Amino acid sequence: MAQQETDQGYESGTSVAEPGDGFVVDTEDAAARELAHRERGTSRPITVVGNPVLHKECRDVTEFDDELARLIDDMFASQHTAEGVGLAANQIGVDLKVFVYDCPDDDGVRHVGAVCNPVLEELPPSERHLDDSNEGCLSVPTAYAALARPDYAVVRGQDAQGKPIRVAGTGYFARCLQHETDHLYGYLYIDRLSKRDRKDALRQMAENTPRYEVVPNS
């Protein structure tokens, strides 16, 4: 996911999950962990809308090995180069259900981690408070559009070693978790827009030049 176009605050009607509730702690040593990943990794160009790998469901991760670890390192390096806050594997052309994130929540707390085989948990109606802030995507470079999403999200999946994990996010981080999970099931955020807003986002992309390397569509 691209960084916000403008700084915005968030109000959340949902309490933040605590580690004792079975959620992964992804805020400790966030800067050091992110730096270690990207220093081991190699930045790769970003695939953009129209590339077939972005428009189909990715394969489940079944091998939690050194190859997966290298992929995650490369994803952190690629995310940093593109100045993003979240990146799915198919955004660098890899057909696997894994995403990484380096994203603040609505309180400005930095979250860093990786999730394999993510599934969004369905929220009860009492926890579905919609936020219609702008959203952007590294695979739709330079384009932004308002999109309503719940301001609280829970994703369950596995970590890089295959251990079951749950990740909870509020505000901007909740948007990131939903955005990246969508990617791995073949959806870009523009697929959730009206036809008019989607057309406008694609126009923005066509009229501007990204600051990072992209894979041209044939």
Side-chain angles (χ1 to χ4, degrees):
M1 191 170 86
Q3 291 185 13
Q4 288 173 270
E5 186 179 28
T6 56
D7 292 332
Q8 300 179 39
Y10 293 87
E11 294 182 359
S12 175
T14 306
S15 61
V16 179
E18 297 293 337
D21 297 328
F23 290 88
V24 67
V25 178
D26 57 6
T27 56
E28 292 181 357
D29 301 319
R33 290 187 291 108
E34 187 274 337
L35 178 61
H37 278 297
R38 62 180 164 90
E39 285 189 335
R40 292 191 299 263
T42 300
S43 182
R44 306 191 200 180
I46 303 296
T47 56
V48 296
V49 57
N51 189 305
V53 74
L54 294 174
H55 302 282
K56 64 176 184 178
E57 182 175 344
C58 293
R59 295 183 295 112
D60 289 346
V61 175
T62 57
E63 300 292 333
F64 298 87
D65 53 13
D66 290 345
E67 184 175 352
L68 175 64
R70 286 192 294 271
L71 171 63
I72 289 173
D73 289 341
D74 286 357
M75 290 172 67
F76 273 106
S78 304
Q79 173 180 258
H80 180 78
T81 298
E83 299 180 355
V85 295
L87 187 76
N90 53 357
Q91 291 185 272
I92 57 170
V94 178
D95 178 23
L96 280 178
K97 283 181 183 169
V98 54
F99 72 78
V100 302
Y101 58 88
D102 177 10
C103 186
D105 61 23
D106 54 341
D107 294 319
V109 177
R110 186 176 181 179
H111 297 256
V112 171
V115 183
C116 301
N117 304 322
V119 176
L120 278 168
E121 295 188 0
E122 186 172 352
L123 298 176
S126 62
E127 295 183 8
R128 289 183 58 84
H129 305 279
L130 295 180
D131 168 66
D132 61 357
S133 296
N134 272 0
E135 189 162 326
C137 179
L138 299 179
S139 292
V140 192
T142 74
Y144 293 87
L147 177 62
R149 290 191 189 266
D151 67 354
Y152 178 72
V154 177
V155 169
R156 68 176 184 273
Q158 294 164 281
D159 65 13
Q161 290 74 46
K163 178 183 176 181
I165 57 173
R166 296 173 79 205
V167 182
T170 60
Y172 188 38
F173 183 37
R175 182 174 295 273
C176 178
L177 293 174
Q178 294 167 83
H179 180 109
E180 300 308 331
T181 301
D182 270 357
H183 266 304
L184 301 177
Y185 290 87
Y187 295 98
L188 284 79
Y189 86 99
I190 60 172
D191 296 328
R192 298 191 178 278
L193 300 176
S194 68
K195 289 183 179 180
R196 178 180 179 179
D197 288 345
R198 176 188 171 92
K199 183 177 180 180
D200 181 66
L202 293 174
R203 177 193 58 76
Q204 293 178 55
M205 174 180 164
E207 291 178 353
N208 296 285
T209 302
R211 297 187 301 270
Y212 46 87
E213 185 181 1
V214 300
V215 178
N217 293 330
S218 56

Short mmCIF file of all heavy atoms in Angstrom, two decimals, residues 80-148:
data_model
loop_
_atom_site.label_atom_id
_atom_site.label_comp_id
_atom_site.label_asym_id
_atom_site.label_seq_id
_atom_site.Cartn_x
_atom_site.Cartn_y
_atom_site.Cartn_z
N HIS A 80 10.55 -0.51 0.92
CA HIS A 80 11.28 0.68 1.35
C HIS A 80 11.65 1.56 0.15
O HIS A 80 11.49 2.79 0.21
CB HIS A 80 12.54 0.26 2.10
CG HIS A 80 13.36 1.41 2.60
ND1 HIS A 80 13.03 2.14 3.71
CD2 HIS A 80 14.50 1.96 2.11
CE1 HIS A 80 13.92 3.09 3.90
NE2 HIS A 80 14.82 3.01 2.94
N THR A 81 12.14 0.94 -0.91
CA THR A 81 12.51 1.69 -2.11
C THR A 81 11.33 2.47 -2.67
O THR A 81 11.46 3.63 -3.09
CB THR A 81 13.07 0.75 -3.19
OG1 THR A 81 14.25 0.11 -2.70
CG2 THR A 81 13.39 1.50 -4.47
N ALA A 82 10.17 1.83 -2.66
CA ALA A 82 8.97 2.45 -3.22
C ALA A 82 8.25 3.36 -2.22
O ALA A 82 7.22 3.95 -2.56
CB ALA A 82 8.01 1.36 -3.71
N GLU A 83 8.79 3.46 -1.01
CA GLU A 83 8.22 4.30 0.05
C GLU A 83 6.78 3.89 0.37
O GLU A 83 5.89 4.72 0.54
CB GLU A 83 8.28 5.78 -0.35
CG GLU A 83 9.70 6.27 -0.57
CD GLU A 83 9.76 7.74 -0.96
OE1 GLU A 83 8.69 8.37 -1.16
OE2 GLU A 83 10.88 8.26 -1.09
N GLY A 84 6.56 2.58 0.45
CA GLY A 84 5.24 2.06 0.79
C GLY A 84 5.16 1.67 2.25
O GLY A 84 6.15 1.67 2.98
N VAL A 85 3.94 1.32 2.67
CA VAL A 85 3.72 0.87 4.05
C VAL A 85 3.27 -0.59 4.10
O VAL A 85 3.14 -1.17 5.18
CB VAL A 85 2.68 1.75 4.76
CG1 VAL A 85 3.21 3.18 4.91
CG2 VAL A 85 1.35 1.75 4.04
N GLY A 86 3.04 -1.19 2.94
CA GLY A 86 2.64 -2.58 2.85
C GLY A 86 2.93 -3.08 1.44
O GLY A 86 2.87 -2.30 0.48
N LEU A 87 3.25 -4.36 1.31
CA LEU A 87 3.56 -4.92 0.00
C LEU A 87 3.19 -6.39 -0.03
O LEU A 87 3.58 -7.16 0.86
CB LEU A 87 5.05 -4.76 -0.32
CG LEU A 87 5.46 -5.15 -1.74
CD1 LEU A 87 5.05 -4.07 -2.74
CD2 LEU A 87 6.96 -5.39 -1.83
N ALA A 88 2.45 -6.80 -1.05
CA ALA A 88 2.10 -8.21 -1.26
C ALA A 88 3.06 -8.83 -2.26
O ALA A 88 3.61 -8.14 -3.12
CB ALA A 88 0.66 -8.31 -1.77
N ALA A 89 3.25 -10.15 -2.15
CA ALA A 89 4.24 -10.82 -3.00
C ALA A 89 3.96 -10.66 -4.48
O ALA A 89 4.89 -10.52 -5.29
CB ALA A 89 4.30 -12.31 -2.64
N ASN A 90 2.68 -10.65 -4.87
CA ASN A 90 2.40 -10.51 -6.30
C ASN A 90 2.73 -9.12 -6.82
O ASN A 90 2.82 -8.92 -8.04
CB ASN A 90 0.95 -10.89 -6.63
CG ASN A 90 -0.09 -10.18 -5.80
OD1 ASN A 90 0.21 -9.40 -4.90
ND2 ASN A 90 -1.36 -10.46 -6.09
N GLN A 91 2.97 -8.17 -5.94
CA GLN A 91 3.39 -6.84 -6.37
C GLN A 91 4.84 -6.81 -6.83
O GLN A 91 5.28 -5.82 -7.42
CB GLN A 91 3.15 -5.81 -5.28
CG GLN A 91 1.66 -5.55 -5.03
CD GLN A 91 1.46 -4.44 -4.02
OE1 GLN A 91 1.42 -4.69 -2.82
NE2 GLN A 91 1.33 -3.22 -4.51
N ILE A 92 5.59 -7.87 -6.54
CA ILE A 92 6.91 -8.03 -7.16
C ILE A 92 6.93 -9.29 -8.01
O ILE A 92 7.97 -9.89 -8.25
CB ILE A 92 8.05 -8.03 -6.12
CG1 ILE A 92 7.86 -9.11 -5.05
CG2 ILE A 92 8.19 -6.65 -5.48
CD1 ILE A 92 9.10 -9.29 -4.17
N GLY A 93 5.74 -9.70 -8.47
CA GLY A 93 5.63 -10.77 -9.45
C GLY A 93 5.66 -12.18 -8.92
O GLY A 93 5.79 -13.12 -9.70
N VAL A 94 5.52 -12.36 -7.60
CA VAL A 94 5.60 -13.70 -7.00
C VAL A 94 4.21 -14.17 -6.61
O VAL A 94 3.51 -13.51 -5.82
CB VAL A 94 6.53 -13.70 -5.78
CG1 VAL A 94 6.57 -15.10 -5.14
CG2 VAL A 94 7.93 -13.27 -6.17
N ASP A 95 3.81 -15.31 -7.11
CA ASP A 95 2.47 -15.86 -6.93
C ASP A 95 2.39 -16.66 -5.63
O ASP A 95 2.27 -17.88 -5.63
CB ASP A 95 2.13 -16.74 -8.14
CG ASP A 95 0.77 -17.40 -8.04
OD1 ASP A 95 -0.08 -16.88 -7.29
OD2 ASP A 95 0.57 -18.45 -8.69
N LEU A 96 2.48 -15.95 -4.50
CA LEU A 96 2.39 -16.59 -3.19
C LEU A 96 1.63 -15.68 -2.23
O LEU A 96 1.74 -14.45 -2.30
CB LEU A 96 3.79 -16.86 -2.60
CG LEU A 96 4.55 -18.08 -3.09
CD1 LEU A 96 5.93 -18.13 -2.42
CD2 LEU A 96 3.79 -19.37 -2.80
N LYS A 97 0.89 -16.29 -1.31
CA LYS A 97 0.11 -15.53 -0.34
C LYS A 97 0.99 -15.11 0.85
O LYS A 97 1.03 -15.76 1.89
CB LYS A 97 -1.08 -16.35 0.16
CG LYS A 97 -2.23 -16.42 -0.83
CD LYS A 97 -3.39 -17.22 -0.26
CE LYS A 97 -4.52 -17.34 -1.30
NZ LYS A 97 -5.53 -18.33 -0.89
N VAL A 98 1.68 -14.01 0.66
CA VAL A 98 2.46 -13.42 1.74
C VAL A 98 2.52 -11.92 1.54
O VAL A 98 2.64 -11.44 0.41
CB VAL A 98 3.89 -14.03 1.81
CG1 VAL A 98 4.61 -13.92 0.49
CG2 VAL A 98 4.70 -13.39 2.93
N PHE A 99 2.36 -11.18 2.63
CA PHE A 99 2.57 -9.73 2.55
C PHE A 99 3.41 -9.27 3.73
O PHE A 99 3.49 -9.93 4.76
CB PHE A 99 1.26 -8.95 2.45
CG PHE A 99 0.40 -8.88 3.69
CD1 PHE A 99 0.71 -8.02 4.74
CD2 PHE A 99 -0.75 -9.66 3.79
CE1 PHE A 99 -0.10 -7.94 5.88
CE2 PHE A 99 -1.57 -9.58 4.92
CZ PHE A 99 -1.23 -8.71 5.97
N VAL A 100 4.06 -8.12 3.54
CA VAL A 100 4.84 -7.50 4.60
C VAL A 100 4.26 -6.12 4.86
O VAL A 100 3.55 -5.55 4.01
CB VAL A 100 6.33 -7.39 4.24
CG1 VAL A 100 6.92 -8.76 3.95
CG2 VAL A 100 6.57 -6.44 3.07
N TYR A 101 4.57 -5.56 6.02
CA TYR A 101 4.07 -4.23 6.34
C TYR A 101 5.05 -3.51 7.26
O TYR A 101 5.78 -4.12 8.05
CB TYR A 101 2.69 -4.29 6.99
CG TYR A 101 2.62 -5.12 8.26
CD1 TYR A 101 2.88 -4.55 9.50
CD2 TYR A 101 2.29 -6.48 8.22
CE1 TYR A 101 2.82 -5.30 10.67
CE2 TYR A 101 2.23 -7.24 9.37
CZ TYR A 101 2.50 -6.65 10.60
OH TYR A 101 2.45 -7.40 11.75
N ASP A 102 5.09 -2.21 7.12
CA ASP A 102 5.82 -1.29 7.99
C ASP A 102 4.94 -0.05 8.06
O ASP A 102 5.08 0.88 7.28
CB ASP A 102 7.20 -0.97 7.41
CG ASP A 102 7.98 0.04 8.25
OD1 ASP A 102 7.53 0.34 9.38
OD2 ASP A 102 9.02 0.53 7.78
N CYS A 103 4.00 -0.07 8.99
CA CYS A 103 2.87 0.85 8.92
C CYS A 103 2.50 1.37 10.31
O CYS A 103 2.44 0.60 11.27
CB CYS A 103 1.67 0.13 8.30
SG CYS A 103 0.24 1.18 7.99
N PRO A 104 2.20 2.66 10.42
CA PRO A 104 1.71 3.20 11.69
C PRO A 104 0.22 2.95 11.86
O PRO A 104 -0.52 2.86 10.88
CB PRO A 104 2.00 4.71 11.57
CG PRO A 104 1.86 4.97 10.11
CD PRO A 104 2.40 3.74 9.41
N ASP A 105 -0.22 2.88 13.10
CA ASP A 105 -1.65 2.79 13.36
C ASP A 105 -2.21 4.19 13.61
O ASP A 105 -1.52 5.20 13.39
CB ASP A 105 -1.95 1.83 14.52
CG ASP A 105 -1.32 2.25 15.84
OD1 ASP A 105 -1.02 3.46 16.01
OD2 ASP A 105 -1.12 1.39 16.71
N ASP A 106 -3.45 4.27 14.05
CA ASP A 106 -4.08 5.58 14.23
C ASP A 106 -3.49 6.37 15.39
O ASP A 106 -3.74 7.57 15.51
CB ASP A 106 -5.59 5.42 14.41
CG ASP A 106 -5.97 4.46 15.52
OD1 ASP A 106 -5.12 3.65 15.92
OD2 ASP A 106 -7.11 4.51 15.98
N ASP A 107 -2.68 5.73 16.23
CA ASP A 107 -2.00 6.43 17.31
C ASP A 107 -0.54 6.75 16.97
O ASP A 107 0.21 7.22 17.82
CB ASP A 107 -2.03 5.59 18.59
CG ASP A 107 -3.45 5.43 19.13
OD1 ASP A 107 -4.20 6.42 19.10
OD2 ASP A 107 -3.80 4.31 19.55
N GLY A 108 -0.13 6.44 15.73
CA GLY A 108 1.24 6.72 15.31
C GLY A 108 2.23 5.66 15.73
O GLY A 108 3.45 5.85 15.60
N VAL A 109 1.77 4.52 16.22
CA VAL A 109 2.65 3.43 16.64
C VAL A 109 3.04 2.60 15.42
O VAL A 109 2.19 2.20 14.63
CB VAL A 109 1.97 2.53 17.70
CG1 VAL A 109 2.88 1.37 18.08
CG2 VAL A 109 1.59 3.35 18.92
N ARG A 110 4.33 2.34 15.27
CA ARG A 110 4.85 1.63 14.10
C ARG A 110 4.71 0.12 14.27
O ARG A 110 5.14 -0.46 15.27
CB ARG A 110 6.32 2.00 13.90
CG ARG A 110 6.96 1.45 12.64
CD ARG A 110 8.39 1.96 12.51
NE ARG A 110 9.03 1.47 11.30
CZ ARG A 110 10.29 1.79 10.95
NH1 ARG A 110 11.01 2.57 11.74
NH2 ARG A 110 10.81 1.30 9.84
N HIS A 111 4.15 -0.52 13.25
CA HIS A 111 3.99 -1.97 13.22
C HIS A 111 4.80 -2.53 12.05
O HIS A 111 4.71 -2.03 10.94
CB HIS A 111 2.52 -2.35 13.02
CG HIS A 111 1.62 -1.91 14.13
ND1 HIS A 111 1.14 -2.78 15.09
CD2 HIS A 111 1.10 -0.69 14.44
CE1 HIS A 111 0.37 -2.11 15.94
NE2 HIS A 111 0.33 -0.84 15.56
N VAL A 112 5.57 -3.59 12.30
CA VAL A 112 6.40 -4.22 11.28
C VAL A 112 6.22 -5.73 11.36
O VAL A 112 6.32 -6.31 12.45
CB VAL A 112 7.90 -3.87 11.47
CG1 VAL A 112 8.77 -4.71 10.54
CG2 VAL A 112 8.13 -2.38 11.22
N GLY A 113 5.96 -6.36 10.23
CA GLY A 113 5.81 -7.81 10.23
C GLY A 113 5.53 -8.38 8.87
O GLY A 113 5.52 -7.67 7.86
N ALA A 114 5.31 -9.69 8.85
CA ALA A 114 4.98 -10.42 7.63
C ALA A 114 3.90 -11.44 7.96
O ALA A 114 3.91 -12.03 9.04
CB ALA A 114 6.21 -11.13 7.06
N VAL A 115 2.97 -11.63 7.03
CA VAL A 115 1.88 -12.59 7.22
C VAL A 115 1.77 -13.47 5.99
O VAL A 115 1.69 -12.98 4.86
CB VAL A 115 0.53 -11.88 7.45
CG1 VAL A 115 -0.58 -12.90 7.72
CG2 VAL A 115 0.61 -10.88 8.60
N CYS A 116 1.77 -14.78 6.21
CA CYS A 116 1.56 -15.75 5.14
C CYS A 116 0.13 -16.29 5.23
O CYS A 116 -0.40 -16.47 6.33
CB CYS A 116 2.55 -16.91 5.26
SG CYS A 116 4.29 -16.43 5.21
N ASN A 117 -0.46 -16.54 4.09
CA ASN A 117 -1.80 -17.12 4.00
C ASN A 117 -2.82 -16.35 4.85
O ASN A 117 -3.56 -16.93 5.65
CB ASN A 117 -1.77 -18.59 4.42
CG ASN A 117 -0.78 -19.40 3.61
OD1 ASN A 117 -0.63 -19.19 2.40
ND2 ASN A 117 -0.09 -20.33 4.24
N PRO A 118 -2.89 -15.03 4.66
CA PRO A 118 -3.77 -14.22 5.50
C PRO A 118 -5.25 -14.41 5.18
O PRO A 118 -5.64 -14.61 4.03
CB PRO A 118 -3.34 -12.79 5.17
CG PRO A 118 -2.87 -12.87 3.75
CD PRO A 118 -2.18 -14.22 3.67
N VAL A 119 -6.06 -14.33 6.23
CA VAL A 119 -7.51 -14.35 6.10
C VAL A 119 -8.06 -13.27 7.01
O VAL A 119 -7.73 -13.23 8.20
CB VAL A 119 -8.11 -15.72 6.49
CG1 VAL A 119 -9.63 -15.67 6.44
CG2 VAL A 119 -7.57 -16.82 5.59
N LEU A 120 -8.89 -12.39 6.48
CA LEU A 120 -9.52 -11.36 7.30
C LEU A 120 -10.64 -11.97 8.13
O LEU A 120 -11.48 -12.70 7.60
CB LEU A 120 -10.09 -10.25 6.42
CG LEU A 120 -9.12 -9.18 5.93
CD1 LEU A 120 -9.79 -8.34 4.84
CD2 LEU A 120 -8.65 -8.29 7.07
N GLU A 121 -10.64 -11.70 9.41
CA GLU A 121 -11.72 -12.18 10.26
C GLU A 121 -12.93 -11.26 10.11
O GLU A 121 -12.79 -10.05 10.00
CB GLU A 121 -11.26 -12.23 11.72
CG GLU A 121 -10.15 -13.24 11.96
CD GLU A 121 -9.85 -13.43 13.44
OE1 GLU A 121 -10.51 -12.77 14.27
OE2 GLU A 121 -8.96 -14.23 13.76
N GLU A 122 -14.10 -11.86 10.08
CA GLU A 122 -15.33 -11.07 9.95
C GLU A 122 -15.62 -10.38 11.28
O GLU A 122 -15.60 -11.00 12.34
CB GLU A 122 -16.50 -11.97 9.56
CG GLU A 122 -17.77 -11.20 9.26
CD GLU A 122 -18.86 -12.10 8.70
OE1 GLU A 122 -18.58 -13.28 8.40
OE2 GLU A 122 -20.00 -11.61 8.56
N LEU A 123 -15.90 -9.09 11.20
CA LEU A 123 -16.17 -8.30 12.39
C LEU A 123 -17.66 -8.31 12.71
O LEU A 123 -18.49 -8.26 11.80
CB LEU A 123 -15.71 -6.87 12.20
CG LEU A 123 -14.23 -6.62 11.95
CD1 LEU A 123 -13.99 -5.13 11.68
CD2 LEU A 123 -13.40 -7.07 13.15
N PRO A 124 -18.01 -8.30 14.00
CA PRO A 124 -19.42 -8.13 14.36
C PRO A 124 -19.85 -6.71 14.00
O PRO A 124 -19.02 -5.80 13.95
CB PRO A 124 -19.43 -8.36 15.86
CG PRO A 124 -18.05 -8.09 16.32
CD PRO A 124 -17.15 -8.49 15.19
N PRO A 125 -21.12 -6.50 13.74
CA PRO A 125 -21.60 -5.16 13.35
C PRO A 125 -21.19 -4.06 14.32
O PRO A 125 -20.92 -2.93 13.90
CB PRO A 125 -23.12 -5.34 13.34
CG PRO A 125 -23.33 -6.79 13.03
CD PRO A 125 -22.21 -7.50 13.73
N SER A 126 -21.09 -4.37 15.61
CA SER A 126 -20.73 -3.35 16.60
C SER A 126 -19.31 -2.83 16.43
O SER A 126 -18.95 -1.78 16.95
CB SER A 126 -20.89 -3.92 18.01
OG SER A 126 -20.02 -5.01 18.21
N GLU A 127 -18.47 -3.58 15.70
CA GLU A 127 -17.08 -3.18 15.50
C GLU A 127 -16.82 -2.68 14.09
O GLU A 127 -15.68 -2.41 13.72
CB GLU A 127 -16.14 -4.35 15.83
CG GLU A 127 -16.17 -4.75 17.30
CD GLU A 127 -15.18 -5.85 17.64
OE1 GLU A 127 -14.36 -6.20 16.76
OE2 GLU A 127 -15.23 -6.35 18.77
N ARG A 128 -17.87 -2.53 13.28
CA ARG A 128 -17.69 -2.08 11.90
C ARG A 128 -17.95 -0.57 11.80
O ARG A 128 -19.06 -0.14 11.51
CB ARG A 128 -18.62 -2.84 10.95
CG ARG A 128 -18.21 -4.30 10.75
CD ARG A 128 -19.13 -4.98 9.74
NE ARG A 128 -19.14 -4.31 8.46
CZ ARG A 128 -18.24 -4.50 7.50
NH1 ARG A 128 -17.24 -5.36 7.69
NH2 ARG A 128 -18.33 -3.86 6.35
N HIS A 129 -16.92 0.20 12.10
CA HIS A 129 -16.98 1.65 11.97
C HIS A 129 -16.19 2.03 10.72
O HIS A 129 -14.97 1.82 10.66
CB HIS A 129 -16.38 2.32 13.21
CG HIS A 129 -17.01 1.87 14.49
ND1 HIS A 129 -18.22 2.39 14.94
CD2 HIS A 129 -16.62 0.95 15.40
CE1 HIS A 129 -18.53 1.80 16.10
NE2 HIS A 129 -17.58 0.92 16.39
N LEU A 130 -16.87 2.55 9.72
CA LEU A 130 -16.23 2.81 8.43
C LEU A 130 -15.46 4.12 8.43
O LEU A 130 -15.88 5.12 9.00
CB LEU A 130 -17.27 2.81 7.31
CG LEU A 130 -17.99 1.48 7.04
CD1 LEU A 130 -18.98 1.65 5.90
CD2 LEU A 130 -16.97 0.38 6.71
N ASP A 131 -14.31 4.08 7.78
CA ASP A 131 -13.48 5.25 7.55
C ASP A 131 -13.30 5.40 6.05
O ASP A 131 -12.96 4.43 5.36
CB ASP A 131 -12.12 5.06 8.23
CG ASP A 131 -11.12 6.11 7.79
OD1 ASP A 131 -11.32 7.29 8.10
OD2 ASP A 131 -10.13 5.75 7.10
N ASP A 132 -13.56 6.60 5.52
CA ASP A 132 -13.52 6.79 4.07
C ASP A 132 -12.34 7.65 3.63
O ASP A 132 -12.43 8.45 2.70
CB ASP A 132 -14.83 7.37 3.55
CG ASP A 132 -15.14 8.73 4.15
OD1 ASP A 132 -14.37 9.19 5.02
OD2 ASP A 132 -16.16 9.33 3.76
N SER A 133 -11.19 7.46 4.27
CA SER A 133 -9.99 8.20 3.91
C SER A 133 -9.47 7.78 2.53
O SER A 133 -9.88 6.75 1.97
CB SER A 133 -8.88 7.96 4.94
OG SER A 133 -9.24 8.46 6.20
N ASN A 134 -8.54 8.59 2.01
CA ASN A 134 -7.90 8.26 0.74
C ASN A 134 -7.06 6.99 0.87
O ASN A 134 -6.51 6.69 1.92
CB ASN A 134 -6.99 9.40 0.28
CG ASN A 134 -7.73 10.43 -0.54
OD1 ASN A 134 -8.94 10.31 -0.77
ND2 ASN A 134 -7.02 11.45 -0.99
N GLU A 135 -6.98 6.26 -0.23
CA GLU A 135 -6.17 5.05 -0.30
C GLU A 135 -5.35 5.08 -1.57
O GLU A 135 -5.79 5.60 -2.60
CB GLU A 135 -7.07 3.80 -0.27
CG GLU A 135 -6.30 2.49 -0.12
CD GLU A 135 -7.21 1.36 0.35
OE1 GLU A 135 -8.16 1.64 1.14
OE2 GLU A 135 -7.00 0.21 -0.06
N GLY A 136 -4.13 4.58 -1.49
CA GLY A 136 -3.26 4.50 -2.66
C GLY A 136 -2.59 3.15 -2.70
O GLY A 136 -2.61 2.39 -1.72
N CYS A 137 -1.97 2.83 -3.83
CA CYS A 137 -1.39 1.51 -4.03
C CYS A 137 -0.13 1.63 -4.87
O CYS A 137 -0.12 2.35 -5.88
CB CYS A 137 -2.41 0.61 -4.73
SG CYS A 137 -1.82 -1.07 -5.08
N LEU A 138 0.91 0.93 -4.48
CA LEU A 138 2.15 0.95 -5.25
C LEU A 138 1.95 0.38 -6.65
O LEU A 138 2.71 0.72 -7.56
CB LEU A 138 3.24 0.15 -4.52
CG LEU A 138 3.63 0.68 -3.13
CD1 LEU A 138 4.70 -0.22 -2.52
CD2 LEU A 138 4.09 2.12 -3.20
N SER A 139 0.94 -0.46 -6.83
CA SER A 139 0.65 -1.04 -8.15
C SER A 139 -0.30 -0.18 -8.98
O SER A 139 -0.63 -0.55 -10.11
CB SER A 139 0.08 -2.46 -7.99
OG SER A 139 1.07 -3.33 -7.50
N VAL A 140 -0.74 0.92 -8.41
CA VAL A 140 -1.50 1.95 -9.14
C VAL A 140 -0.80 3.27 -8.82
O VAL A 140 -1.36 4.13 -8.15
CB VAL A 140 -2.98 1.98 -8.74
CG1 VAL A 140 -3.80 2.83 -9.72
CG2 VAL A 140 -3.58 0.57 -8.67
N PRO A 141 0.45 3.43 -9.26
CA PRO A 141 1.28 4.52 -8.76
C PRO A 141 0.73 5.90 -9.05
O PRO A 141 0.16 6.14 -10.12
CB PRO A 141 2.61 4.29 -9.49
CG PRO A 141 2.29 3.43 -10.66
CD PRO A 141 1.14 2.58 -10.24
N THR A 142 0.89 6.77 -8.06
CA THR A 142 0.54 8.20 -8.08
C THR A 142 -0.96 8.46 -8.01
O THR A 142 -1.38 9.61 -8.07
CB THR A 142 1.11 8.93 -9.32
OG1 THR A 142 0.37 8.59 -10.49
CG2 THR A 142 2.59 8.61 -9.53
N ALA A 143 -1.79 7.44 -7.86
CA ALA A 143 -3.25 7.62 -7.84
C ALA A 143 -3.78 7.40 -6.42
O ALA A 143 -3.32 6.52 -5.69
CB ALA A 143 -3.92 6.64 -8.79
N TYR A 144 -4.78 8.21 -6.06
CA TYR A 144 -5.44 8.09 -4.76
C TYR A 144 -6.93 8.26 -4.93
O TYR A 144 -7.40 8.98 -5.82
CB TYR A 144 -4.92 9.15 -3.79
CG TYR A 144 -3.47 8.96 -3.40
CD1 TYR A 144 -2.46 9.50 -4.20
CD2 TYR A 144 -3.12 8.23 -2.28
CE1 TYR A 144 -1.12 9.31 -3.87
CE2 TYR A 144 -1.78 8.04 -1.94
CZ TYR A 144 -0.79 8.59 -2.73
OH TYR A 144 0.52 8.39 -2.41
N ALA A 145 -7.69 7.58 -4.07
CA ALA A 145 -9.15 7.72 -4.09
C ALA A 145 -9.69 7.39 -2.71
O ALA A 145 -9.12 6.56 -1.98
CB ALA A 145 -9.77 6.79 -5.13
N ALA A 146 -10.78 8.04 -2.35
CA ALA A 146 -11.44 7.73 -1.07
C ALA A 146 -12.12 6.37 -1.17
O ALA A 146 -12.77 6.06 -2.17
CB ALA A 146 -12.47 8.80 -0.75
N LEU A 147 -11.92 5.56 -0.13
CA LEU A 147 -12.53 4.22 -0.10
C LEU A 147 -12.92 3.89 1.34
O LEU A 147 -12.07 3.91 2.23
CB LEU A 147 -11.54 3.17 -0.63
CG LEU A 147 -12.03 1.72 -0.59
CD1 LEU A 147 -13.27 1.52 -1.46
CD2 LEU A 147 -10.91 0.76 -1.04
N ALA A 148 -14.18 3.58 1.56
CA ALA A 148 -14.65 3.24 2.90
C ALA A 148 -14.23 1.82 3.28
O ALA A 148 -14.50 0.87 2.55
CB ALA A 148 -16.18 3.38 2.97
#
